[in-house]
Amino acid sequence: MDKSCINVGILGWGTVGTGVSKILLNQHALIAKNSGVELCLNKIVKRTLPATRQGVDLPADCLTTNPAEVVDNPDIDIVVELIGGVTEAHSLIKRAIQNGKHVVTANKALLAEHGGELFQLASEHQVSLNFEASTAGGIPIIKTLQESFAGNQIHSLYGIVNGTCNYILTEMHDRPVDFSDVLKAAQDMGYAEADPTLDVEGIDAAQKLILLIALAYRSSISLPQLHVEGITNITAQEIQYARELGYTIKLLAIAKLTDGNCVEARVHPTLVPERSLLANVGGAFNAVCVIGDAVGPTLFYGQGAGEMPTASAVVADIIDAAKSVQQGVSTPISQAWLAGGQAEVEVCSIEDIETRYYIRFVVADRPGVLAKIGTVLGNWQISIASVIQKDPHGMDTVSLVMLTHTAKEKNMKAALSEIYTLEDVKGDAQLIRIEEEVAF
Ligand code: HSE
């Protein structure tokens, strides 16, 4: 191995691993010029061999099936984990850290579950654990929160961080198609996973939100603490009515510091004003809006997945780790991640949030129904901002679509259970929260 280089080993040679190898090999001189570090790609672990990739000319003996040749190899300085999944990645990263290697990972599921333990271990062994590619792919949002906004109290953060959901919702917004049809088309075109559950149920976005909250609020939280709703119940009707009311539906990952010193942490479909920048983030693109007390509103936009955008973020982390190797220091780790570190803020209960709502009831088309619903809402201090009536169901029932002013979630739930006992109300309402603050 070339000792004048900082030596890199990659675990996993799938889509992102291939992109990383392309950049390391093809942009070797550019990276050296831009950052002053000389990176050499020495080992790639792939489950099965032989393997080749178009446009990648690997050094001799680079490929192996044995992870020990990377994590236990005294000549490797930086280990890049791109195998995904939790169990194997967890044990290999631990081994690499214990062997004194700096680690780069794109594994949000792993960090959302074991971040505290791994960052503690990295701190003990004085190595870096960098994870830019774990959230929003090519958008440098982790570094931004960790470094560029370190002097800001983050007031709120709104992310479109799941490209699959954003692609589906954008298609449904642009033409009258149902969720299941768009999902199938997305799978056929390779945009959505064969098993899209983690994406469409909001779990992928929730794992990313956990990482963003750790950096923004120095709070290590776990998945069960988040309120998570996916997009599977969003119908073509909801998209259409929201449009008529001047809104677009997006799956947002939201973190918001409240006056009560708790942080709202939620992922759900959200009505955003159609004039807002977030409403116009289309297709599989990601965007994260961060509002800080000093910087004010900011917006970061780009590709949240894919070979080269994700590889771009991984390589940036490798370069940071290489600087740590050169200088003999590790990248400082947010205190929130260190095991035993006390969270500075608690997660607010979803019952305590206050927001505006879109509600669609299906009701019998009789005189007095609107008044009965309005009375119950009024009794729970929920003020209606506007109502439209739609007749998509034939003669007997209609849809009543309402926008409310700001109301308490617990009052809304109580009002809805009371409204569901009314004979004229057919089934459960569609309830979608509205966010106006993204409207720049
Ligand atoms: N499955 C994710 C998405 C990409 O659809 O955005 C990887 O984080």
Side-chain angles (χ1 to χ4, degrees):
M1 261 180 217
D2 185 347
K3 288 291 182 190
S4 67
C5 276
I6 291 169
N7 291 306
V8 179
I10 301 178
L11 303 169
W13 207 35
T15 306
V16 178
T18 301
V20 172
S21 60
K22 281 180 188 165
I23 300 178
L24 291 181
L25 296 170
N26 303 339
Q27 304 294 6
H28 178 92
L30 182 85
I31 292 170
K33 253 190 264 171
N34 282 342
S35 64
V37 292
E38 182 102 5
L39 296 173
C40 290
L41 174 57
N42 285 108
K43 284 279 167 208
I44 296 177
V45 180
K46 182 155 186 325
R47 262 181 243 284
T48 51
L49 296 182
T52 53
R53 296 280 191 272
Q54 217 178 5
V56 190
D57 190 12
L58 292 179
D61 299 329
C62 186
L63 278 173
T64 172
T65 55
N66 182 6
E69 289 190 37
V70 168
V71 295
D72 298 332
N73 184 337
D75 292 327
I76 296 278
D77 302 295
I78 299 168
V79 173
V80 182
E81 183 276 306
L82 297 172
I83 53 176
V86 173
T87 312
E88 193 185 3
H90 185 208
S91 75
L92 289 174
I93 287 181
K94 270 173 44 180
R95 216 157 105 196
I97 292 173
Q98 282 158 343
N99 286 333
K101 301 188 188 313
H102 297 264
V103 172
V104 172
T105 179
N107 195 330
K108 74 223 144 199
L110 173 66
L111 293 180
E113 201 176 324
H114 296 290
E117 176 206 353
L118 292 175
F119 283 102
Q120 178 68 34
L121 196 63
S123 170
E124 284 164 18
H125 289 268
Q126 297 189 312
V127 294
S128 316
L129 176 51
N130 296 338
F131 55 105
E132 185 64 69
S134 61
T135 301
I139 304 174
I141 192 65
I142 300 294
K143 203 177 180 75
T144 299
L145 286 170
Q146 216 160 15
E147 296 178 17
S148 314
F149 290 172
N152 278 260
Q153 176 60 263
I154 304 300
H155 168 59
S156 50
L157 186 155
Y158 303 90
I160 294 174
V161 289
N162 186 271
T164 304
C165 289
N166 204 50
Y167 173 81
I168 293 171
L169 291 174
T170 305
E171 289 290 303
M172 290 174 75
H173 184 267
D174 290 348
R175 54 201 174 91
V177 278
D178 282 325
F179 170 81
S180 50
D181 294 336
V182 188
L183 176 58
K184 175 145 190 341
Q187 284 170 316
D188 290 346
M189 289 184 294
Y191 289 164
E193 302 281 344
D195 178 2
T197 317
L198 292 179
D199 291 314
V200 297
E201 296 294 356
I203 308 296
D204 173 83
Q207 289 167 337
K208 292 166 180 168
L209 184 60
I210 288 173
L211 305 188
L212 295 174
I213 285 176
L215 299 173
Y217 297 109
R218 300 156 300 282
S219 281
S220 178
I221 64 172
S222 60
L223 200 53
Q225 291 176 276
L226 292 169
H227 176 85
V228 184
E229 290 170 36
I231 62 165
T232 50
N233 291 330
I234 298 297
T235 66
Q237 275 174 351
E238 260 50 67
I239 304 255
Q240 170 62 24
Y241 298 159
R243 259 181 97 150
E244 287 178 30
L245 292 160
Y247 291 90
T248 303
I249 300 180
K250 293 290 185 192
L251 183 77
L252 289 193
I254 300 171
K256 209 187 277 195
L257 193 61
T258 67
D259 295 343
N261 201 31
C262 63
V263 66
E264 292 180 12
R266 45 193 169 100
V267 173
H268 52 69
T270 312
L271 265 69
V272 296
E274 64 185 356
R275 67 183 182 283
S276 65
L277 291 173
L278 278 190
N280 291 286
V281 173
F285 272 77
N286 281 197
V288 184
C289 162
V290 183
I291 304 178
D293 63 348
V295 71
T298 59
L299 185 69
F300 301 83
Y301 169 85
Q303 296 184 67
E307 178 183 336
M308 297 315 289
T310 312
S312 161
V314 171
V315 170
D317 273 352
I318 296 173
I319 292 169
D320 271 354
K323 289 179 182 167
S324 299
V325 175
Q326 265 184 346
Q327 294 157 11
V329 296
S330 57
T331 311
I333 292 162
S334 169
Q335 291 302 308
W337 286 108
L338 300 183
Q342 291 296 306
E344 282 189 19
V345 287
E346 299 296 322
V347 177
C348 313
S349 159
I350 188 70
E351 302 285 313
D352 293 330
I353 73 158
E354 294 188 20
T355 187
R356 296 188 63 205
Y357 295 90
Y358 162 105
I359 323 171
R360 178 166 68 89
F361 296 102
V362 176
V363 299
D365 192 9
R366 288 200 199 110
V369 178
L370 177 58
K372 282 184 205 161
I373 292 175
T375 302
V376 177
L377 291 173
N379 289 343
W380 286 100
Q381 309 301 315
I382 298 164
S383 168
I384 298 167
S386 58
V387 185
I388 52 173
Q389 181 170 318
K390 292 285 175 183
D391 182 13
H393 311 282
M395 297 295 286
D396 299 333
T397 58
V398 292
S399 278
L400 282 182
V401 182
M402 297 180 179
L403 297 187
T404 73
H405 290 295
T406 301
K408 288 189 171 41
E409 178 100 3
K410 55 169 144 315
N411 287 12
M412 178 57 76
K413 286 196 176 138
L416 286 181
S417 353
E418 218 174 300
I419 288 167
Y420 294 157
T421 65
L422 298 173
E423 198 188 319
D424 290 330
V425 175
K426 312 294 176 195
D428 286 1
Q430 276 275 9
L431 184 79
I432 310 178
R433 299 172 190 86
I434 303 173
E435 288 293 336
E436 303 278 358
E437 197 184 36
V438 297
F440 64 91

